[in-house]
Amino acid sequence: MTLPELESYFEGAGKKRFRAAQVYDWLHKKLVTSYEEMQNLPASLRSRLQEEAPIGAPVIRALQISKLDGTRKYLFQFPDGACVESVWMQYHHGNTVCISSQVGCRMGCTFCASTLLGLDRNLSAGEMLSQIYAIERDTGERVSGVVVMGTGEPLDNYDSLVRFLRMISDEKGLNISERNLTVSTCGLVPGIRKLKEEKLMINLALSLHAPNDELRRKLMTVAKSYPLRELMDAMRDYYSLLHRRLTFEYSLIRGVNDTEAHAAELAALLKGMNCLVNLIPVNPVAETGYRPAGVPDAQRFKKKLENHGIHVTIRREMGRDIDGACGQLRKRDADSRR
Ligand code: SAH
């Protein structure tokens, strides 16, 4: 619940309204996971709350730490048994958490592990927040940025996503600046159009992966519903309203989308847009058989885009040795340890 919702909950239940702010502070700032710890609440209220509104924080079922870069991948379990993965990454400018927005995914991108077993259910805003809270508790360090790039399609869980974005940036909560929040989508056009109207100063990333419809449809089921023309129009409109630089993610798959001709086509598609292209040599997923573009090909691809005046980065992959990199997060059972 947001603070106003919590206030009406307290009022409605014959409790004192000012208790809402105390509880909110314990939950969203001090990050406690039980009413027992809320020392300024009377014991009677604590036990009543415990019965009426149990907190349901996730437990850490597994934790893998990368030997390459210290990246930490968590497997969390919620009270109903559902499990999701989240990743904590340390950069020189601060710590970033990559959270999941759904248990599984129904988008069907051919290169991605997250979608292999389909969608179980959406996560609530609280479950998205709690991944970050649990990681702050575990590491003892502040999180300064969040990317919604774990398992799931955030715009397929729209209301919870927006509620999450507002609560994580709430100054009475963790107060992470909207500018340090990134939402990545496979390209649900109605969702992009709706999100724009929320007027959030977040970063929007689009998983593009192909410069034309024919190839994109082969790689991503979603491209069958939304042709690039509509998608790029939605992205341009998003930019015109909010003036936040757009990011386009492009996984380089050897022999599939990584030639100089593809780069030229991509440059034409993005012509005139204020954007960053994030190239990601595709990460291995056992089931897909795709191989990453080689380093020279990735460099050539980058150069070609740069020659057209486009900003490009090749993503520094983190946590690859623990299957924590893009597209490697997947639905797991609580007792699977890898
Ligand atoms: N559903 C959202 C959020 C997932 S973000 C989206 O599609 O954007 C995860 C990012 O990793 C997406 O850009 C996705 O396309 C990319 N990705 C998926 N599988 C990958 C793989 N095997 N290697 C590299 N990137 C991958």
Side-chain angles (χ1 to χ4, degrees):
M1 286 185 222
T2 61
L3 182 54
E5 286 167 350
L6 205 55
E7 282 170 345
S8 32
Y9 166 75
F10 271 78
E11 265 173 350
K15 304 181 188 76
K16 300 211 168 54
R17 182 188 164 95
F18 77 93
R19 296 288 181 199
Q22 294 178 326
V23 170
Y24 193 87
D25 189 64
W26 282 112
L27 287 176
H28 300 284
K29 208 161 214 153
K30 301 199 178 86
L31 311 186
V32 305
T33 55
S34 72
Y35 292 111
E36 279 309 297
E37 296 160 88
M38 303 186 181
Q39 292 145 5
N40 54 359
L41 302 190
S44 57
L45 178 60
R46 287 191 306 219
S47 53
R48 216 179 126 186
L49 287 170
Q50 176 56 36
E51 272 185 21
E52 280 177 30
I55 292 172
V59 294
I60 299 174
R61 294 302 301 248
L63 168 61
Q64 289 171 275
I65 303 173
S66 167
K67 291 189 182 63
L68 303 175
D69 51 40
T71 295
R72 300 161 78 91
K73 184 171 76 166
Y74 292 85
L75 177 67
F76 289 116
Q77 185 174 30
F78 294 107
D80 72 342
C83 290
V84 297
E85 293 183 315
S86 323
V87 181
W88 179 87
M89 293 158 284
Q90 247 179 332
Y91 295 98
H92 55 266
H93 53 78
N95 303 317
T96 295
V97 169
C98 172
I99 64 158
S100 291
S101 55
Q102 296 180 313
V103 183
C105 182
R106 57 175 181 163
M107 294 296 126
C109 298
T110 56
F111 41 79
C112 183
S114 300
T115 198
L116 290 170
L117 297 173
L119 174 70
D120 278 357
R121 69 169 177 86
N122 282 331
L123 292 184
S124 66
E127 287 169 329
M128 292 185 226
L129 290 168
S130 68
Q131 296 169 54
I132 299 157
Y133 297 177
I135 290 176
E136 279 212 353
R137 284 196 303 273
D138 185 60
T139 59
E141 290 195 34
R142 303 309 283 179
V143 168
S144 57
V146 178
V147 297
V148 188
M149 293 193 180
T151 294
E153 166 51 43
L155 297 182
D156 189 36
N157 182 12
Y158 186 88
D159 292 342
S160 297
L161 172 77
V162 170
R163 174 183 276 265
F164 160 77
L165 294 169
R166 296 201 188 284
M167 290 183 78
I168 193 70
S169 53
D170 180 7
E171 56 182 24
K172 293 202 168 70
L174 282 196
N175 194 15
I176 299 177
S177 156
E178 286 175 17
R179 290 166 193 280
N180 294 340
L181 305 176
T182 301
V183 170
S184 178
T185 176
C186 64
L188 298 180
V189 170
I192 295 170
R193 294 208 168 276
K194 205 164 155 196
L195 185 63
K196 160 178 79 141
E197 303 304 330
E198 309 286 346
K199 308 229 167 49
L200 290 160
M201 289 298 124
I202 59 166
N203 308 299
L204 180 63
L206 175 73
S207 299
L208 190 57
H209 306 314
N212 61 60
D213 280 317
E214 196 193 342
L215 180 54
R216 197 160 187 269
R217 280 190 211 113
K218 282 192 192 137
L219 297 175
M220 304 173 74
T221 313
V222 66
K224 293 178 183 153
S225 308
Y226 306 107
L228 279 174
R229 234 186 107 90
E230 279 177 36
L231 183 54
M232 299 310 277
D233 274 352
M235 294 299 283
R236 270 188 284 267
D237 289 350
Y238 190 96
Y239 181 82
S240 309
L241 189 69
L242 299 172
H243 299 285
R244 301 283 299 150
R245 183 170 77 168
L246 301 167
T247 298
F248 294 95
E249 293 153 292
Y250 193 103
S251 296
L252 288 167
I253 310 173
R254 184 177 299 202
V256 175
N257 65 357
D258 65 343
T259 67
E260 285 191 64
H262 291 123
E265 211 179 348
L266 180 60
L269 185 71
L270 301 179
K271 195 168 181 240
M273 295 179 85
N274 181 4
C275 65
L276 171 76
V277 173
N278 206 194
L279 298 174
I280 318 163
V282 79
N283 291 304
V285 171
E287 293 86 340
T288 69
Y290 288 133
R291 289 185 305 148
V295 174
D297 284 331
Q299 289 297 346
R300 262 195 297 276
F301 199 97
K302 176 168 186 266
K303 194 98 217 118
K304 185 92 188 175
L305 290 175
E306 283 170 347
N307 290 344
H308 285 86
I310 295 175
H311 298 285
V312 190
T313 54
I314 297 185
R315 185 173 291 178
R316 186 160 68 92
E317 283 302 345
M318 318 237 337
R320 205 158 162 175
D321 57 329
I322 53 170
D323 274 1
C326 298
Q328 295 186 312
L329 300 189
R330 57 175 76 217
K331 219 163 71 185
R332 289 177 203 277
D333 296 332
D335 39 59
S336 82
R337 283 288 184 275
R338 57 145 287 138

